[in-house]
């Protein structure tokens, strides 16, 4: 990768992290882009779970509590259940309201 993008670009935009299995679990479900995972993460946060050292079993239970399956998020999903199949834009005003609410919530915690 360094050869392809050059040392400067690599140093600025890429990093390799080892041993962070909790991050891999979160990425496995978040990178799919399924917005339903947002509620799972919100509930984990509200319950005081430390997302920097999230245990796989805790994540599996949280997903299950919301009717989501970790294994399903690891494979190709062809059915139109994911949000971008029907909507692929966000109202800027709604986005700003959400960002303000999140900022307020994190500063009061």
């Amino acid at each position: 990768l360094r050869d392809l993008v050059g040392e400067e670009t690599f140093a600025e935009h890429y990093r390799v992290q080892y041993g962070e299995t909790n991050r891999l679990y979160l990425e496995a479900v978040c990178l799919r882009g399924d917005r339903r995972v947002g509620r799972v993460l919100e509930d984990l946060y509200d319950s005081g779970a430390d997302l920097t050292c999230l245990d796989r079993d805790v994540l599996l239970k949280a997903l299950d509590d919301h009717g989501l399956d970790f294994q399903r998020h690891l494979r190709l999903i062809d059915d139109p259940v994911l949000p971008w199949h029907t909507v692929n834009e966000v109202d800027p005003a709604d986005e700003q309201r959400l960002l303000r609410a999140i900022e307020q919530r994190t500063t009061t915690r």
Side-chain angles (χ1 to χ4, degrees):
L1 188 56
R2 288 176 199 263
D3 291 340
L4 289 173
V5 300
E7 193 63 43
E8 185 177 317
T9 300
F10 182 86
E12 184 178 344
H13 297 286
Y14 300 94
R15 63 185 165 151
V16 178
Q17 296 180 316
Y18 299 98
E20 293 188 11
T21 54
N22 62 298
R23 185 184 188 116
L24 295 175
Y25 297 141
L26 288 173
E27 286 181 0
V29 295
C30 291
L31 290 176
R32 184 61 80 171
D34 186 341
R35 294 180 187 154
R36 299 172 297 171
V37 172
R39 294 281 186 210
V40 175
L41 297 176
E42 183 178 23
D43 286 351
L44 285 168
Y45 179 83
D46 288 345
S47 72
D50 184 354
L51 298 180
T52 64
C53 59
L54 188 65
D55 180 79
R56 182 178 192 267
D57 292 333
V58 172
L59 178 60
L60 293 179
K61 180 174 180 344
L63 288 168
D64 187 56
D65 289 347
H66 288 269
L68 300 174
D69 178 20
F70 182 74
Q71 293 301 322
R72 180 169 168 74
H73 280 76
L74 296 181
R75 67 178 200 272
L76 179 65
I77 299 176
D78 289 328
D79 58 353
V81 70
L82 299 179
W84 60 78
H85 288 282
T86 56
V87 176
N88 195 19
E89 62 182 56
V90 175
D91 177 40
D94 287 342
E95 182 179 23
Q96 289 306 311
R97 276 194 298 277
L98 174 63
L99 292 173
R100 282 192 301 274
I102 290 171
E103 178 64 28
Q104 182 181 17
R105 183 176 176 169
T106 56
T107 57
T108 60
R109 185 166 191 205

